[in-house]
Amino acid sequence: MEFGFVVTAKSSECRARRGRLTTAHGTVTTPVFMPVGTQATVKTLTPEELRELGVEIILSNTYHLYLRPGADLIAEAGGLHNFMHWDGPILTDSGGFQIFSLGSLRRLTDEGVVFRSHIDGSEHYFTPEKAVRVQELLGSDIAMVLDECIAYPAAYEEAAKAVERTTRWARMASAAHRRSDQALFGIIQGGTFPDLRLRSLHELVALDFPGYAIGGLSVGEPKEVMYEILDLVVPRLPEDKPRYLMGVGSPDCLWEGVERGVDMFDCVLPTRIARNGTVFTQSGKIVVRNAAYARDFGPLDPQCDCYVCRNYTRAYIRHLIKANEVLGIRLTTYHNLYFMMRLMEKIRAAISQDRFATAKEEFFAHYKDEADEEGSGSSCC
């Protein structure tokens, strides 16, 4: 089945849109949040549980799977879908963000990047072509080009060099890509500099990728700055191709991103905070491991009808987490992903009903993010 994307509904109030993404392993309804399965697993959950939750597509990480267990082994197993027992669509990132997070353990050239494994210190060389080959061996439905992601803040000259290198690598990756059942997305960079963002956009759109990601955001910049970049970039992307905002997944940023026309999101936030005993509720996040919940025999969220909230109490889940029992973080992870899937359903329905602004206002009339209120929450993931 060929990759395809069609817009099925648009908001008359903003740039929000609903769509249908077709891949070799199934169809995805957008806007969509993709849970992160870094090591070929969404931590603590089975593929069957993900399906129960309504997950249609997951993300896995090329860097980690390349190092362990190795792309050749996964290919021998029949590809990533067979290896991890997930029959739905998979997006793999190129590993660029992880490699560039290694700091002194990596060295850039115009042809690629030399880096040392965080596992055993072994040296590896990734080129744009190699990033494509690894993802072709993995057999993901959507692959990403190797790009250079810079930190925030960055000097203009550094951001300009990263744009130049990202475009060069995108051309190399596009020329190397062979799998007809896999779509290769370009990644727009440029830091927080409007002219560099537009330059990156125009250079990548000229390469006619099946979809486009916006990278280098949610890396420490204020949310208002990210929204300004989205306001600049998203309206200039092709209407008939999916738009993917990388590494963004807090509820407020999902609403704001969709409002600006973004179709796809991913983030470790729901699963990461679950492992720390923090859960989403309709009123905002709560830290269930706190002592205040030791004798709270109510559900995590009184307004939630997920399996966890129907069967377990805050007191019991707190006990499990404090006792380092795996079931505790399985339950918080399940609940958080259920929250995210229902949130995206609510957003998609609001677009179809052309009441996006009202639905957003209703959501935030109840949902409060304590970190944002305290001024410490600048990241969307």
Side-chain angles (χ1 to χ4, degrees), residues 21 43 64 113 117 151 175 181 202 216 221 229 310 351 361:
L21 189 68
K43 285 182 172 59
H64 289 283
V113 56
S117 165
D181 60 346
H202 292 140
E221 79 283 355
I229 296 298
R310 284 186 284 110
I351 296 170
E361 183 178 348

Side-chain angles (χ1 to χ4, degrees), residues 25 42 54 67 81 100 109 124 142 161 192 245 264 296 332 349:
H25 285 88
V42 177
L67 290 177
H81 296 85
F100 295 116
T109 74
H124 302 268
I142 301 173
K161 181 62 177 177
T192 57
L245 178 55
M264 304 168 67
D296 188 332
T332 54

Side-chain angles (χ1 to χ4, degrees), residues 101-362:
S101 297
L102 293 173
S104 61
L105 295 178
R106 50 89 172 167
R107 183 176 72 257
L108 287 172
T109 74
D110 285 341
E111 306 306 317
V113 56
V114 179
F115 66 93
R116 290 194 176 276
S117 165
H118 72 288
I119 299 171
D120 59 11
S122 57
E123 187 171 278
H124 302 268
Y125 183 45
F126 246 43
T127 64
E129 295 92 343
K130 185 169 182 178
V132 165
R133 285 197 302 272
V134 170
Q135 291 178 89
E136 288 182 332
L137 286 170
L138 296 177
S140 55
D141 299 274
I142 301 173
M144 306 303 298
V145 300
L146 185 66
D147 63 322
E148 182 178 355
C149 180
I150 58 174
Y152 173 86
Y156 184 90
E157 294 74 17
E158 180 187 1
K161 181 62 177 177
V163 166
E164 179 182 337
R165 188 172 278 140
T166 293
T167 299
R168 175 184 175 86
W169 287 357
R171 292 194 184 104
M172 296 162 70
S174 181
H177 190 248
R178 294 290 180 267
R179 285 195 71 142
S180 60
D181 60 346
Q182 181 186 69
L184 181 68
F185 281 22
I187 303 177
I188 295 163
Q189 289 291 346
T192 57
F193 302 99
D195 61 321
L196 295 181
R197 283 286 176 179
L198 291 179
R199 173 184 163 189
S200 182
L201 183 152
H202 292 140
E203 291 174 351
L204 291 177
V205 167
L207 297 176
D208 195 27
F209 286 103
Y212 292 93
I214 304 164
L217 293 176
S218 192
V219 291
E221 79 283 355
K223 290 181 180 180
E224 293 72 20
V225 173
M226 182 180 77
Y227 300 151
E228 289 172 4
I229 296 298
L230 294 179
D231 285 333
L232 176 74
V233 170
V234 176
R236 294 171 169 82
L237 288 170
E239 276 282 323
D240 59 347
K241 296 183 179 182
R243 305 150 175 176
Y244 166 28
L245 178 55
M246 305 180 79
V248 168
S250 65
D252 57 334
C253 289
L254 292 175
W255 281 100
E256 296 292 337
V258 170
E259 185 172 353
R260 289 162 170 81
V262 175
D263 305 301
M264 304 168 67
F265 304 83
D266 83 277
C267 191
V268 298
L269 180 67
T271 50
R272 177 176 287 169
I273 66 172
R275 296 193 297 277
N276 294 325
T278 301
V279 294
F280 291 114
T281 75
Q282 297 300 312
S283 301
K285 294 196 293 286
I286 66 168
V287 184
V288 73
R289 68 179 299 140
N290 286 352
Y293 303 105
R295 287 180 168 78
D296 188 332
F297 302 112
L300 291 176
D301 184 354
Q303 300 181 62
C304 179
D305 64 353
C306 78
Y307 167 80
V308 177
C309 289
R310 284 186 284 110
N311 292 283
Y312 300 97
T313 67
R314 292 174 173 180
Y316 178 64
I317 294 171
R318 177 183 184 271
H319 155 70
L320 293 176
I321 292 173
K322 295 294 285 186
N324 293 319
E325 288 288 344
V326 173
L327 179 59
I329 60 174
R330 272 179 45 76
L331 296 177
T332 54
T333 300
Y334 189 101
H335 168 81
N336 277 356
L337 287 182
Y338 184 91
F339 177 94
M340 298 299 283
M341 294 304 109
R342 300 296 83 76
L343 173 59
M344 298 313 294
E345 283 182 0
K346 184 179 299 185
I347 288 174
R348 290 192 294 266
I351 296 170
S352 295
Q353 298 161 7
D354 201 14
R355 58 184 304 275
F356 183 88
T358 300
K360 179 184 176 186
E361 183 178 348
E362 290 172 351

